């Protein structure tokens, strides 16, 4: 298999599509992934704990969201900390849930780009 350009992989990740063929869907439900691509048979979870790395992506996005929100709301709009505590806590719970699928698809796309091992064949 020819190595896919990173832009193509990012577009497939944004569509929650298979990084190899771009046709198969990654998720069967909001949190439940398909085991393999129904189009090209790529195994999504490469090994046990494979998607642990996606939690770092998810955590990073959440941290950036909270930090930017706090800076804008507290320092620019001058909203006090007591008022911000509950909404920012809610954001820190909701953002990881909403970004869960995209963190996994981005992780899969990055792995497909940086280490093509196992993405060439249906064996994995
Ligand atoms: Zn596929």
């Amino acid at each position: 298999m020819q190595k896919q350009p990173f832009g193509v992989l990012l577009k497939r990740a944004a569509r929650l599509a298979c990084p190899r063929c771009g046709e198969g869907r990654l998720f069967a439900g909001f949190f439940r992934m398909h085991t393999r691509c129904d189009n090209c048979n790529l195994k999504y979870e490469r090994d046990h704990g494979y998607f642990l790395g996606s939690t770092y992506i998810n955590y990073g996005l959440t941290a950036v969201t909270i930090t930017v929100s706090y800076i804008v709301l507290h320092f620019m709009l001058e909203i006090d900390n007591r008022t911000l505590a509950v909404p920012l806590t809610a954001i820190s719970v909701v953002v990881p849930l909403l970004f869960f699928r995209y963190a996994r698809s981005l992780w899969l796309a990055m792995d497909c780009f940086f280490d093509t091992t196992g993405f060439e064949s249906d064996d994995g």
Side-chain angles (χ1 to χ4, degrees):
M1 181 185 108
Q2 182 180 344
K3 187 172 184 173
Q4 299 287 339
F6 196 62
V8 170
L9 292 172
L10 282 180
K11 287 177 188 170
R12 290 175 180 173
R15 292 187 297 115
L16 301 174
C18 171
R20 182 161 69 182
C21 70
E23 297 295 324
R25 306 301 309 159
L26 294 178
F27 287 87
F30 197 82
F31 293 112
R32 193 167 56 87
M33 287 189 81
H34 290 291
T35 307
R36 290 182 176 270
C37 175
D38 56 4
N39 187 53
C40 71
N41 204 34
L42 173 69
K43 185 178 179 185
Y44 293 141
E45 188 165 1
R46 319 295 305 157
D47 207 344
H48 292 289
Y50 174 75
F51 286 109
L52 179 63
S54 72
T55 61
Y56 295 109
I57 295 171
N58 214 347
Y59 171 76
L61 178 84
T62 303
V64 167
T65 301
I66 293 295
T67 303
V68 170
S69 298
Y70 181 75
I71 289 170
V72 169
L73 295 171
H74 183 70
F75 293 108
M76 298 172 84
L77 299 178
E78 298 180 355
I79 299 173
D80 67 284
N81 287 338
R82 284 180 183 260
T83 307
L84 289 176
V86 171
L88 290 181
T89 301
I91 288 173
S92 71
V93 172
V94 171
V95 166
L97 295 175
L98 294 177
F99 199 65
F100 171 82
R101 299 188 307 165
Y102 294 97
R104 283 194 168 200
S105 68
L106 188 59
W107 178 255
L108 198 55
M110 287 171 48
D111 190 32
C112 185
F113 181 77
F114 291 112
D115 182 12
T116 57
T117 307
F119 286 93
E120 293 99 4
S121 69
D122 295 339
D123 300 337

